[in-house]
Amino acid sequence: MTLTPALENLLASQHRFDELRRKTVLRAGPRLADLAYANAYGKPAAEVVAAIQRALEKAGELGLQYTPYGGATVTRRLVAEHLSKSSGLHFDFRGVVMTPGAMAALNLVFRALREHGPGEVIVPVPCWLDYPLYLENLGLVARLVPVDPITLRLDLAAIAAALSPRTVAVLLMQPANPAGLLHSETELRGLADLLRNVPVPPLLISDECHRDVRFDEHAFVSPASIWPRTCVIHSFGKSLQIQGQRIGYVAVPPALPERMEFIETLEKLCRVMGFCTPTALMQLALGDLLAYTPDWSVLRARRKLALEALREGGYEVVPSDATYFLYPRTPEKDDWAHAERLADAGVLVLPAPMFQHRGHFRIALTCTDGMLDKAAAVFARGGHA
């Protein structure tokens, strides 16, 4: 099967990394330090496993059967109540459309935008690797706008220059992946001021997948509390560390104009695009899991160890506020060459081109302690075996 040249181009970095990973796994074997993807090694928290077991035992006669497009009403209501308490906004159950993870939620929103014709979506880069892929596939243009090269924070002047009558949305990850930074209220208000001056104000898509994975006392501010034309994307897999269970949602705040039309379009698209809903089991389990608070102490300790090793090895790195990631600068001109050098030492990382960026690489802290110890020793030597 041959995809369009544009899609093949967007997939090229992924293919290149997959081949690098394959060779590294074969060569390193049990000595592999896998800091590439955010798959959490080890078992999920006992509380999470227990909640899923209880849901299975209490499922009842039809508890594991089909649920309506958009999700079971009880689940949507529980999520809406939880989101209302955490955000200070009032979400009702219709304003929460359950999806099998954030990837499905993003595709639903992008497809809903495409219903009104072609347009551009502004995407600050570095960005999550598949945003441009989904947009291109659904007939929208990804307008990639660089962040500040030093701080990795939003470049509001660059966004202002990119805004045009063709702009239908701005896609923002809060907190950002791969940089791991939380956008401040000041940044978000500055962005809202820009959007307010556009003749047809665009939708702000706030991808909040990692909002629960925060270090220290960094405050989380949802763009939905600042810009009324916002929809929220979320995935429970990140905070529960069961990403393969695929449960998330699109949430539509009450202030969004034409909200009911937008919600109804999303519900219809669940069927049109074949995404259906999350599994019935995970929808049942959320009743217990919404109140679950993860313990991030291990992640904090790994972050501290990784930062110390990176700095000892001469790497420049902006400390992350949140997410599972750190995003150091590459100490040489070629990001792929550095990723390959680390792979030769048995350490897998993702180079910046996978995030539509240059001059950095991403490490995931969801590895085992043993893997991180091995990687830290390599980082401390400047990336040499």
Side-chain angles (χ1 to χ4, degrees):
M1 177 182 179
T2 301
L3 301 177
T4 66
L7 289 175
E8 290 289 5
N9 184 58
L10 287 167
L11 288 168
S13 288
Q14 182 70 61
H15 293 327
R16 183 172 179 178
F17 178 76
D18 287 345
E19 182 61 15
L20 176 63
R21 182 187 182 88
R22 184 187 68 80
K23 292 178 179 178
T24 305
V25 169
L26 287 174
R27 183 174 60 247
R31 298 177 293 105
L32 176 71
D34 186 359
L35 278 63
Y37 296 121
N39 284 315
Y41 280 82
K43 294 181 179 179
E47 297 92 332
V48 175
V49 174
I52 296 173
Q53 289 175 334
R54 285 195 297 273
L56 186 59
E57 292 166 358
K58 297 178 181 179
E61 190 172 42
L62 294 175
L64 299 181
Q65 305 308 313
Y66 293 128
T67 59
Y69 292 106
T73 299
V74 171
T75 304
R76 295 171 76 176
R77 195 179 304 281
L78 289 172
V79 172
E81 290 173 356
H82 179 77
L83 187 56
S84 297
K85 290 177 183 176
S86 62
S87 69
L89 303 172
H90 176 68
F91 289 85
D92 60 14
F93 87 94
R94 284 298 303 277
V96 174
V97 177
M98 302 302 300
T99 62
M103 291 191 291
L106 287 163
N107 274 275
L108 288 177
V109 172
F110 296 162
R111 181 64 177 78
L113 290 172
R114 187 62 180 81
E115 280 294 292
H116 300 287
E120 294 183 351
V121 176
I122 291 176
V123 183
V125 292
C127 67
W128 183 64
L129 61 167
D130 281 344
Y131 286 162
L133 183 70
Y134 296 163
L135 291 167
E136 173 67 27
N137 182 54
L138 292 170
L140 296 167
V141 175
R143 183 72 182 273
L144 305 181
V145 177
V147 299
D148 183 281
I150 305 301
T151 65
L152 300 178
R153 294 198 170 275
L154 295 179
D155 186 336
L156 294 180
I159 293 175
L163 286 166
S164 77
R166 300 182 298 279
T167 305
V168 294
V170 175
L171 176 54
L172 193 67
M173 185 167 248
Q174 168 69 332
N177 172 12
L181 300 179
L182 277 164
H183 302 296
S184 67
E185 183 174 348
T186 299
E187 284 180 282
L188 296 176
R189 290 197 179 279
L191 177 59
D193 288 341
L194 295 180
L195 302 183
R196 199 171 286 115
N197 292 324
V198 179
V200 180
L203 180 70
L204 180 56
I205 305 168
S206 181
D207 184 345
E208 301 179 3
C209 283
H210 291 92
R211 69 178 180 224
D212 297 323
V213 189
R214 303 198 303 274
F215 304 120
D216 306 321
E217 297 300 322
H218 293 291
F220 175 82
V221 180
S222 174
S225 65
I226 295 173
W227 179 243
R229 295 189 62 85
T230 298
C231 70
V232 173
I233 305 290
H234 186 56
S235 167
F236 292 99
K238 305 298 189 296
S239 58
L240 301 177
Q241 295 193 313
I242 50 170
Q243 285 149 254
Q245 293 309 303
R246 299 291 184 198
I247 181 164
Y249 59 75
V250 183
V252 184
L256 179 71
E258 300 89 35
R259 68 183 298 269
M260 285 311 302
E261 177 187 349
F262 188 58
I263 291 167
E264 289 169 1
T265 298
L266 293 174
E267 291 173 340
K268 291 175 183 176
L269 288 173
C270 286
R271 181 174 186 181
V272 170
M273 299 184 72
F275 287 124
C276 301
T277 59
T279 65
L281 177 61
M282 287 310 302
Q283 291 187 70
L284 289 172
L286 273 189
D288 285 343
L289 291 172
L290 287 170
Y292 170 68
T293 302
D295 177 7
W296 299 122
S297 59
V298 171
L299 196 65
R300 290 189 186 96
R302 289 177 183 165
R303 170 175 169 265
K304 182 175 183 293
L305 174 63
L307 281 171
E308 290 172 351
L310 288 163
R311 287 167 174 162
E312 183 180 344
Y315 291 93
E316 296 178 34
V317 56
V318 177
S320 55
D321 303 324
T323 76
Y324 297 135
F325 311 117
L326 287 169
Y327 196 53
R329 296 187 189 281
T330 305
E332 52 196 280
K333 291 184 178 180
D334 190 329
D335 295 319
W336 278 106
H338 191 67
E340 288 162 358
R341 178 148 64 88
L342 290 172
D344 287 341
V347 179
L348 276 174
V349 300
L350 293 184
M354 295 192 70
F355 306 102
Q356 308 296 320
H357 199 223
R358 294 292 185 274
H360 290 256
F361 63 95
R362 192 193 78 175
I363 67 174
L365 302 171
T366 49
C367 54
T368 66
D369 289 340
M371 287 180 178
L372 186 59
D373 287 341
K374 174 181 172 59
V378 174
F379 294 147
R381 294 192 294 270
H384 297 282

